[in-house]
């Protein structure tokens, strides 16, 4: 059965304290792995798509990486405005997505 | 470009009542999804449409949930009768055919509370 697991469930960081979020997956026929950011009361907002092992993408303080079994979202020197829930999703067929449960990140000033 | 529109933003109902949600996807997006997101969990697919046809409704509780996408544009999701466990945020999303990232665009959701 296809499965996407995120860890940790919640993470509290001090401003400037770098860390990584994990997304482990067992998905047959992976077409792409997506990272989304979700703020309270809003829908998820797209961050990155990764397609093959070894691929990396960066945006401001965020960097996403992909291996054959997992993806990491690295947050460098986070700021309070980075506080949000980060969701990982796998595309297992054209336009068919399965989501993880998310990591709730809180960055303290 | 305009985003995915959803209404209402909030709804409070008693159990056994009925409720309907509306979604208007991004113009030109053929594929539309309804997701259920329970507090602290990731979005769970309820139904996927391609134009006005159903692609996947395997996780839709068909005894109480129904959805339609007439004319292949906007969509409605209905719950009748509602149960306490239906309390969740209902998210609508769409994706554009041929988009290089194949990323989902989400609306802000409807937060449903069943009392």
């Amino acid at each position: 059965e296809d499965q996407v697991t995120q860890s940790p469930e919640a993470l509290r960081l001090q401003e400037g304290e770098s860390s990584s979020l994990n997304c482990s997956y067992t998905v047959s026929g992976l077409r792409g792995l997506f990272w989304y950011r979700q703020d309270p009361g809003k829908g998820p907002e797209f961050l990155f798509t990764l397609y093959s092992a070894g691929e990396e993408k960066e945006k401001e303080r965020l960097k996403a990486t992909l291996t054959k079994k997992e993806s990491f979202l690295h947050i460098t020197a986070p700021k309070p405005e980075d506080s949000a829930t980060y969701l990982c999703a796998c595309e297992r067929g054209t336009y068919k997505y399965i989501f993880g449960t998310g990591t709730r990140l809180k960055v303290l000033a | 470009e305009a985003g995915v529109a959803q209404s209402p933003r909030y709804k409070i109902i008693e159990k056994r009542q009925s409720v309907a949600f509306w979604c208007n996807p991004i113009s030109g997006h053929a594929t539309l999804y309804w997701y259920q997101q329970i507090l602290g969990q990731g979005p769970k697919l309820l139904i996927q449409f391609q134009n006005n046809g159903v692609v996947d409704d395997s996780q839709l509780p068909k005894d109480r949930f129904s959805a339609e996408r007439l004319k292949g544009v906007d969509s409605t999701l209905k719950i009748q009768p509602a149960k306490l466990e239906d309390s969740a945020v209902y998210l609508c999303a769409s994706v554009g055919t041929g988009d290089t990232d194949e990323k989902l665009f989400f609306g802000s959701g409807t937060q449903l509370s069943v009392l």
Side-chain angles (χ1 to χ4, degrees), chain B:
Chain B
E1 70 184 348
V4 176
Q6 287 190 248
S7 66
R9 287 284 283 124
Y10 305 94
K11 192 73 178 179
I12 301 174
I13 61 172
E14 300 279 336
K15 61 183 179 183
R16 292 188 289 273
Q17 286 186 325
S18 63
V19 64
F21 314 126
W22 175 82
C23 171
N24 193 14
I26 291 174
S27 178
H29 281 193
T31 306
L32 181 149
Y33 308 79
W34 284 102
Y35 285 91
Q36 180 192 60
Q37 188 174 27
I38 293 172
L39 188 64
Q41 298 183 18
K44 171 191 165 186
L45 179 68
L46 292 174
I47 190 166
Q48 176 186 352
F49 291 95
Q50 175 81 15
N51 295 309
N52 60 349
V54 175
V55 174
D56 184 353
D57 64 356
S58 58
Q59 298 187 83
L60 186 73
K62 297 180 186 65
D63 58 333
R64 299 185 299 107
F65 286 65
S66 64
E68 61 182 12
R69 191 184 184 197
L70 300 176
K71 301 180 182 178
V73 181
D74 56 352
S75 176
T76 56
L77 176 70
K78 297 180 181 178
I79 308 175
Q80 182 178 14
K83 293 185 175 181
L84 297 177
E85 58 261 38
D86 298 332
S87 294
V89 174
Y90 291 84
L91 293 165
C92 179
S94 66
V95 62
T97 306
D99 180 358
T100 54
D101 279 326
E102 296 185 348
K103 58 184 177 285
L104 293 169
F105 291 84
F106 285 88
S108 293
T110 296
Q111 185 172 326
L112 174 66
S113 296
V114 182
L115 306 178

Side-chain angles (χ1 to χ4, degrees), chain A residues 3-78:
Chain A
Q3 197 164 0
V4 179
T5 304
Q6 292 188 246
S7 62
E9 289 186 9
L11 182 62
R12 291 168 66 94
L13 299 173
Q14 292 293 325
E15 185 173 3
E17 181 186 1
S18 301
S19 187
S20 296
L21 313 182
N22 177 264
C23 172
S24 299
Y25 63 91
T26 52
V27 173
S28 57
L30 181 72
R31 187 176 169 89
L33 187 141
F34 299 75
W35 284 97
Y36 290 86
R37 169 187 171 134
Q38 186 173 25
D39 292 298
K42 295 187 177 182
E45 183 178 337
F46 171 77
L47 291 173
F48 304 107
T49 309
L50 302 166
Y51 292 104
S52 57
E55 188 175 2
E56 299 182 353
K57 287 193 177 175
E58 288 188 69
K59 180 181 180 180
E60 297 180 355
R61 295 176 293 282
L62 300 177
K63 178 180 174 181
T65 62
L66 181 65
T67 73
K68 290 185 178 179
K69 294 183 178 180
E70 58 191 349
S71 176
F72 291 94
L73 185 65
H74 307 278
I75 304 177
T76 302

